[in-house]
Amino acid sequence: MKRSALHRWHEKAGATLAEENGWYVPLRYSNAEQEAGAVRGSVGICDLSHLHEPLSPYARFLIAGPNTRAVLSKLTSLNLDLTKAYGSVAHVRSLVTRHELGFLLMIPRDYAESVWESLLHAGEEFHITVFGLEASRRLEA
Amino acid sequence: MDIRFNGKAIPIQEGDTVASALYRAGQRIFTRSFKYHRPRGLLCCSGHCPNCLMNVDGIPNVRTCITPARAGMAVKHQNARPSLDFDYLAIAQQFDWMMPVGWYYKNFTNPRMWHLAEAQIRKVAGLGDPPPPDAPEAVYEHAHMQAGVAVIGAGPAGLNAAREAASQGERVVVVDDQPRTTPGDSSYTLLSRSYCFGLYEGNLLGVLQSEPHSGARERLVHIRAKRIVVATGAYEAPLTFKNNDLPGIMLSTAVWRLIHRHGIQPGTSAVIISNETGDSAIAAELRNVGIAVVATVPPSDVLEATGSKHVTGLRTRRGAFACDLVVMCGHRIPDAGLLSQAGAKLEWSAEAGAFVPTELPPNITAVGDVAHALVRAASTLVSMPNKRTFVCFCNDVTSQDICDSVAEGFDHIELLKRYTTTTMGPCQGRMCQLQAIGICARETGRAIQETGVTTSRPPNPGVTLGALGGARHHPIRRTPMHYQHEELGAVWMDMGDWKRPRYYKSAQTERESILREYHAVRQAVGVIDVSTLGKLSLKGRDSGKLLDKVYTNRFSDLKPGRVRYAVLCDEAGIILDDGTISRPLADARGYNTGDPGGTRSVAPSVSAGTIDDFFITTTTGNLDFVEQWLEWWLAGAGWDVQINNLTSALAAVNLAGPKAREVLSALTSCGLSNAEFPYMACRNAEVAGVPALLMRIGFVGETGWEIHYPAESGEHLWSALMDAGRPFGICPFGVEAQRLLRLEKRHVIVGVDTDALTSPYEAGMAWVVKHDKADFIGKFALGKLESAQAQQSLVGFTMNANQIPEDGAAILVNGALAGRVTSARYSPAVEKAIGLAWVTAGAAAEGAQIEIRVAGAPVRATVTQRVFYDPDGARLRM
Amino acid sequence: MSFLLACPECGERSAYEFRFGGEVKSRPQQGDSEEAWFQYIYTKTNEAGEQEEWWFHRNGCRKWFQALRDTRTNTVIATWYPE
């Protein structure tokens, strides 16, 4: 089974993991409805690394919710009005793409956990949440 | 509701600053001065002067006059012992004759003396103490904003400009240092309690915001604006007369703020110093709150203030007046520092009595008082030399000091600044610059415009180091097997951003643990995570051509399925990096899993590629450089090469040792015999079901394979190797064992055993340079170096000692310095200390005797050019 | 050093995102004089004025390009990909 760079982080956070396309994916950390609600109310991050191109050097995060820009502006000088741009996020060169729910971040795999932690730290003032695939599907619905 | 001042409870009211609460509670002395420890009280009440700096909640040098008081704050005074009221160091005033201007330049010309004196001076003078190392860490953070228009200053002119720009559809940010709230209907973003400390190139503003939210102390906001409106207004600067620094002598703006913002009556009877004739506005303010105005006198009539710890009177040419408040209607000076940083010129306006900004750069405008100073209280700039007339309140520089400085020849304003330190304190010249210029002009007989102003540089005002550092987001790179190493007891080392296991704690001591790893590799099998190696794939018709041009050896003739050692030099022939370059097989020969097609789609570059594909490894630290170097030589060349950085996409391990073949054969159907998979060959194969590129190379000197495979299978393959290796006694090994193993093989580490002057010839690697190529980077210089006599060479050495020299240890021949050690370890194979060292040509002969300094004493060692372990490389080909 | 550079691929970005690659120089041919190689390898013009330079967009598209910059003011007059 393939593992995202955050696999161990998800395990430690008590995520319910499932298999999808040969990958371990985090379905939820506690309650999908609560996770989706916290994202709608403020901001949250989700690991979508399993949506992966062959031999990709990137982990893939979704950051969503009304406080998304406020969190990202603490970690990047990128102009977030661009639709797609490379830039430094938490001192790591990444690809930032606008997404219907917020922004998609492509982070070099070996830096993924470090940037994930930075996002959580920067988001503390907004009570940032982590959310799993179930919550992300609810948000997309 | 109260704050604690030196442990005592001080009540606070709504809207109080720390300073206003202390003043209301009767505190009059707020600081002791820098050099003479003179008592100082509130002067500007607007965050400009140094007179109210205190330690607040452990942070030194907080401007208490603009810091909102919050219940529970712990406030302490600075730079006074035992108290502000009685400071025994005030005795320094009696010794002012010993401390003329520039006294330490004059007295501490002996560096050793200065070394002794510095610590004592620091105790007596200075500005507070840094927080102790164990102080709770305050939260600092950064943020970035893009704005159409940034307005600095939320006074009437600034807000007008903001509304106007917003009405034109611009995204507007307003920055203001006061605690303000945004009006509900505002069309702009307001950053309050925020000061702009610098205006940088490209219209970048550095803004420091205090307490942006409950969790943070300060936030540094980088604002990139298309247009900047400077509306910083004007500030008032003090007048100069004898004892002008006594508590109770305040600027008129400070008096206004105490009365209107804080409801404080700052005295009972006042003398106003003003050029205005008749009843001034400030006189009316004072009378309104019940302060008697004893007299209003022009600055030119003032002789001196009297009093010891507080002003008790003012002596003037019109007589002496008893009072407990002196109000200075001082110069109004445009706060033009930001404009000056932006490149505007400051020109003296005699009619305004101030330097006024002109020639603003494009996209920068100035509005309000900063653009045209109001001549509210034009007054004489001239003050006679006196040792008690203070020009610079920050560093205790008097009018006498300025005059002495000019007399001693430091009469250019920039020299005068550096010699006297006027304008170099916390106020950064706001309080003192104009006075210093005025005195300098008079003493030199030059006009004020001719005397000029000193340069304003950011940060102004100062910024805490915590704010500049921001939040702790130091990036960490972890290999895909990071947590498996942790479970195995890894002791980590940092390599750039990477975390790598230095060794795994498997025995009592570090040495035993490392030796255990070493012996496993030499006698059975070991495995090391080498995912940190730089990994680049090259595709395209001209890949071989690029490699031939950039690397010193030849690669266009590298046969598919083969690996070659690669050295990269610059045009001066200096080694920049080394690594391997492989050419995966053109077809599926040697690929025995039966599904080459399927694998190709999953992992194109680790599966059988086209004939033009190359796979490069670089050293861990040089990946970025090598990638940029290759791209650079490609830029504009018009060649068909695509470089793909796969470092983060691939995990890599090196499995090595006499049992490596047996372990690996349990996990792959790829033929591993010497015939099928010889030394320096590469194959694509599945290992434990994972598509991989295998290279048979031998950095550590044993039969082994470097395996590159997709990172998401990092843990899976590692576990499979550990399981398959268990019956053979497999041991994971770290960087330290690897360094010992390679040292026995005399394999060089670029950047450890080589430096910024090392050519392949000196490093004993002449064979990597292929001069028969028509051209390559460094060819010309290497041609010269090949025929030149090497000044020094890299040699091996052995020594019969229990002491191992440190990296960099000095090498002596007949007592003279003859080189240095680059790597040294105890070698179990040789049972001696071994190492690599740079030595002068004369000491490089086989068997030459040298001495190496170990723990201060020279120890004998013998030079050898031989490889310490398995010199014929038989074990690599087993 | 916070001036803006227009990357031909990514647009105007802060100079902090880029790596400076030095002056644009033309490389001598093998067989050219030692003096020509010496000048190429070890010397720089260090122009006080407009200078053609190499820049690499390290945090962005990771491509090399060239720029004409006034070294006195850090004004970037033009940027382009080398031919």
Side-chain angles (χ1 to χ4, degrees), chain A residues 1-5 7-9 11-12 23 52-58 69-81 90-92 107-115 117-122 124-126, chain B residues 139-146 171 212-213 219 469 471-480 482-484 486-487 497-498 531 601-606 644-650 709-716:
Chain A
M1 287 274 270
K2 293 169 185 171
R3 295 178 173 193
S4 117
H7 182 79
R8 298 294 190 118
W9 194 95
E11 277 185 347
K12 249 183 271 171
W23 287 72
H52 181 88
E53 288 141 40
L55 264 199
S56 164
Y58 296 112
R69 280 169 180 256
V71 174
L72 282 181
S73 73
K74 290 172 77 172
L75 300 174
T76 182
S77 59
L78 265 183
N79 180 355
L80 297 172
D81 292 338
H91 309 300
V92 175
I107 314 284
R109 197 193 141 96
D110 24 60
Y111 282 115
E113 188 179 333
S114 171
V115 174
E117 294 283 2
S118 291
L119 286 164
L120 290 175
H121 184 266
E124 264 170 25
E125 62 169 305
F126 306 104
Chain B
V139 174
Y140 296 93
E141 56 189 32
H142 285 192
H144 303 267
M145 293 176 90
Q146 288 86 24
R171 186 189 292 178
H213 58 90
R219 170 185 281 180
R472 292 210 173 182
H473 291 305
H474 183 78
I476 296 172
R477 283 184 104 164
R478 294 178 177 88
T479 77
H482 181 89
Y483 289 100
Q484 288 172 314
E486 203 158 275
E487 287 158 1
D497 291 344
W498 287 105
S531 304
S601 68
V602 175
S605 81
V606 292
N644 199 0
N645 184 348
L646 295 174
T647 306
S648 301
L650 294 174
Y709 60 103
E712 57 269 23
S713 300
E715 293 202 356
H716 170 76

Side-chain angles (χ1 to χ4, degrees), chain B residues 400-420:
Chain B
Q400 180 74 54
D401 293 331
I402 308 265
C403 294
D404 289 349
S405 167
V406 172
E408 287 174 29
F410 298 93
D411 59 354
H412 186 283
I413 194 66
E414 293 284 3
L415 289 176
L416 186 140
K417 163 182 163 178
R418 284 155 181 80
Y419 191 57
T420 63

Side-chain angles (χ1 to χ4, degrees), chain B residues 270-284 286-287 292-299 301-302 314 316 318 321 327 329:
Chain B
V271 176
I272 299 170
I273 308 177
S274 170
N275 260 348
E276 277 179 76
T277 47
D279 207 22
S280 60
I282 193 75
L286 295 174
R287 287 198 192 95
V293 177
V294 180
T296 299
V297 293
D301 278 358
V302 177
L314 193 70
T316 74
R318 300 175 182 193
F321 304 99
V327 182
C329 295

Side-chain angles (χ1 to χ4, degrees), chain B residues 613-670:
Chain B
D613 285 358
F614 290 89
F615 184 77
I616 305 177
T617 61
T618 77
T619 57
T620 297
N622 280 339
L623 162 72
D624 234 35
F625 171 79
V626 173
E627 186 190 357
Q628 289 169 29
W629 184 252
L630 294 176
E631 290 282 6
W632 191 46
W633 288 105
L634 208 49
W639 292 356
D640 173 27
V641 183
Q642 295 90 48
I643 301 169
N644 199 0
N645 184 348
L646 295 174
T647 306
S648 301
L650 294 174
V653 295
N654 182 16
L655 180 76
K659 303 286 184 194
R661 181 178 287 112
E662 286 166 80
V663 175
L664 192 54
S665 63
L667 299 172
T668 182
S669 52
C670 178

